[in-house]
Amino acid sequence: QVQLVESGGGLVQAGGSLRLSCAASGRTFVGYTMGWFRQAPGKEREFVARITWIGSFTYYTDSVRGRFTISRDSAKNTVYLQMNSLKPEDTAVYYCAARSDYKDNQLYEYDYWGQGTKVTVSS
């Protein structure tokens, strides 16, 4: 059974940092792009960051570029999201997801999803 399990969420003050982890199990993710998405209350789920298998290229949504860093440890089958200079608008449930490198970056193209971890940034 394929599982993606996120951890590392919590409550932090504005300007603080958190590191999210996503541990994958049940299959190898060779050839898979790993992504982070978030969903704030009353809003649609949105793309945050992704890292490809081929070349380990990273991509970010504009609102987090320069503050968040995505990375992966293939030996541990784990992907991370280092979040610095957090803002109240970063408050959301953060989800880890995986898709083939060859698919488009659309939510429906992601084959596997975690259950989410909540991040709350207080002002």
Side-chain angles (χ1 to χ4, degrees), residues 42-115:
K43 295 188 177 181
E44 293 186 350
R45 194 169 297 189
E46 64 173 357
F47 165 75
V48 176
R50 72 181 188 272
I51 183 167
T52 65
W53 175 262
I54 299 172
S56 292
F57 296 110
T58 58
Y59 303 87
Y60 301 90
T61 192
D62 287 346
S63 62
V64 309
R65 189 175 293 112
R67 299 188 298 121
F68 291 10
T69 303
I70 188 171
S71 61
R72 69 192 297 169
D73 184 334
S74 299
K76 295 182 179 179
N77 237 10
T78 300
V79 63
Y80 305 96
L81 186 68
Q82 177 67 43
M83 305 187 297
N84 298 329
S85 302
L86 282 161
K87 304 175 180 180
E89 51 263 44
D90 295 318
T91 295
V93 177
Y94 283 71
Y95 298 89
C96 172
R99 63 164 172 83
S100 167
D101 260 10
Y102 297 102
K103 291 187 175 181
D104 292 333
N105 195 47
Q106 304 291 332
L107 264 68
Y108 58 82
E109 296 282 26
Y110 282 78
D111 301 305
Y112 305 105
W113 289 85
Q115 82 291 346

